Amino acid sequence: MEPANILVIEDDYLVARTIERSLSGDEFHVLLASRGDKGLHLARQQPPDLVILDIIMPDMDGYAVCREMRRDVQLVNVPILFLTAKVKVQDKIAGFLAGGDDYLCKPFNVNELIMRVQAILRRTRRLNPLAEEDYAETGGEEPFYGATAESTVFSAEGASRSAVFNGASARARHVSQLEVGGFVLDTHTYELQTPERGKVRLTPLQFDLLYHLMTHPDETFSPSRLLDEIWDYPSGRGSPDLVRVHIKTLRERIENDPQSPTFICTVPGRGYMISTHADRV
């Protein structure tokens, strides 16, 4: 396997070199950029496998870089790991709303950084063959931006759980849309049609999370299970706060009332589920 290309956008030289040394070896190839605009330029020249992105930078901060990447057809699916001194929950939410996949605070543990990088790359490499298949089926048109295909709608409600409630199985069946409780997820465009808020374009990580939950409706997922099955973190690693913030961010985008959600529901003391019953909260 070829080494993964990691682009580090960090204005602190010592931090950047620490990251570079930590990711040295045959597994990674690291490229450094000291400014946001320079990092974008390098990414557009050769899209990386992962971007490690600081937030507090002169001229163009990390949030702006992330938003630009999510608007760029070449970079929209490149995973982004924020590595920053901004530690408040509001900062994390802002990062995920901008399109980030993960968030690690400074000062950071080198082993934790390596673990997260490896987990993100495992997840994206596992999904890449599916993305390439969609790309080929649409004649080279980028699927994230609305590739057309014959629509196959799968309604999860009332179906046999053992038959189709596995995400890989649903993709293997070329299901282009999933419908649960009036919410319709398009697996070709990464868009969610909501009953109250119209159509919402999801980030890659938001799509992965929602797809997983929608293919298992009314099944409860603990934060640790989601860290394992979505983020691909080893058992016992990763913070449940990462899941909580992503759920909160997703609710703010798709729920009619994020403070009283009826679709992505909290099961007290257990975790989260996609509910097919409107009376659940």
Side-chain angles (χ1 to χ4, degrees), residues 81-101:
L81 168 62
F82 281 110
L83 182 62
T84 177
K86 295 175 74 68
V87 300
K88 295 181 180 179
V89 172
Q90 294 85 344
D91 300 323
K92 297 180 182 180
I93 291 174
F96 294 135
L97 285 174
D101 294 90

Side-chain angles (χ1 to χ4, degrees), residues 8 35 37 40 52 67 83 108 140 153 173 180 193 204 231:
V8 178
R35 299 201 321 266
D37 56 349
L40 275 174
I52 298 176
R67 286 190 291 267
L83 182 62
F108 61 94
V153 180
R173 293 164 182 261
V180 181
Q193 182 67 45
W231 280 266

Side-chain angles (χ1 to χ4, degrees), residues 24 52 67 80 106 118 132 144 208 240 264 271 281:
S24 61
I52 298 176
R67 286 190 291 267
I80 297 171
K106 300 174 184 176
Q118 290 172 333
E132 290 168 3
F144 188 93
D208 292 343
I264 304 178
V281 294

Side-chain angles (χ1 to χ4, degrees), residues 3-281:
N5 292 313
I6 312 294
L7 174 59
V8 178
I9 307 177
E10 167 65 67
D11 67 329
D12 187 315
Y13 176 77
L14 293 178
V15 173
R17 289 304 306 273
T18 298
I19 297 171
E20 183 181 34
R21 288 193 299 270
S22 301
L23 300 178
S24 61
D26 296 335
E27 191 175 355
F28 309 108
H29 175 261
V30 180
L31 191 62
L32 304 181
S34 59
R35 299 201 321 266
D37 56 349
K38 183 179 179 182
L40 275 174
H41 177 72
L42 291 174
R44 285 166 174 154
Q45 283 186 321
Q46 182 179 1
D49 296 302
L50 170 67
V51 171
I52 298 176
L53 180 59
D54 188 19
I55 292 178
I56 306 172
M57 295 183 291
D59 300 324
M60 188 178 196
D61 67 18
Y63 295 140
V65 173
C66 187
R67 286 190 291 267
E68 282 295 312
M69 289 182 60
R70 294 298 175 238
R71 285 193 287 260
D72 190 314
V73 68
Q74 286 185 293
L75 305 175
V76 66
N77 289 323
V78 174
I80 297 171
L81 168 62
F82 281 110
L83 182 62
T84 177
K86 295 175 74 68
V87 300
K88 295 181 180 179
V89 172
Q90 294 85 344
D91 300 323
K92 297 180 182 180
I93 291 174
F96 294 135
L97 285 174
D101 294 90
D102 205 344
Y103 198 105
L104 186 60
C105 296
K106 300 174 184 176
F108 61 94
N109 179 281
V110 168
N111 291 330
E112 175 78 4
L113 172 65
I114 295 172
M115 184 274 293
R116 295 204 186 196
V117 167
Q118 290 172 333
I120 292 171
L121 292 173
R122 280 196 303 270
R123 179 176 61 83
T124 54
R125 282 169 171 167
R126 186 175 66 240
L127 296 174
N128 271 345
L130 299 168
E132 290 168 3
E133 182 179 336
D134 284 344
Y135 189 84
E137 288 177 353
T138 59
E141 184 177 356
E142 173 56 53
F144 188 93
Y145 279 83
T148 58
E150 183 178 353
S151 178
T152 303
V153 180
F154 166 60
S155 177
E157 299 173 53
S160 168
R161 187 175 298 272
S162 62
V164 289
F165 279 5
N166 177 276
S169 174
R171 282 183 185 259
R173 293 164 182 261
H174 300 283
V175 173
S176 64
Q177 292 184 334
L178 294 172
E179 181 175 1
V180 181
F183 289 77
V184 181
L185 182 65
D186 192 310
T187 64
H188 290 285
T189 65
Y190 284 36
E191 292 176 326
L192 180 74
Q193 182 67 45
T194 70
E196 302 289 341
R197 305 186 68 169
K199 190 173 291 186
V200 177
R201 176 68 58 81
L202 303 171
T203 69
L205 195 285
Q206 288 172 347
F207 174 85
D208 292 343
L209 177 58
L210 197 56
Y211 183 93
H212 195 66
L213 294 173
M214 287 181 70
T215 51
H216 301 77
D218 296 317
E219 181 176 344
T220 302
F221 288 82
S222 67
S224 61
R225 182 179 171 188
L226 288 172
L227 284 169
D228 175 41
E229 296 180 2
I230 302 300
W231 280 266
D232 204 13
Y233 283 171
S235 179
R237 301 296 296 271
S239 170
D241 287 340
L242 178 64
V243 176
R244 296 187 186 106
V245 174
H246 267 287
I247 292 290
K248 177 179 174 63
T249 303
L250 196 50
R251 283 171 170 166
E252 289 177 349
R253 299 197 66 197
I254 71 174
E255 296 274 4
N256 186 42
D257 182 1
Q259 302 304 315
S260 301
T262 59
F263 186 55
I264 304 178
C265 301
T266 299
V267 182
R270 295 183 61 196
Y272 306 96
M273 71 161 62
I274 290 288
S275 175
T276 59
H277 306 286
D279 57 339
R280 287 183 176 170
V281 294

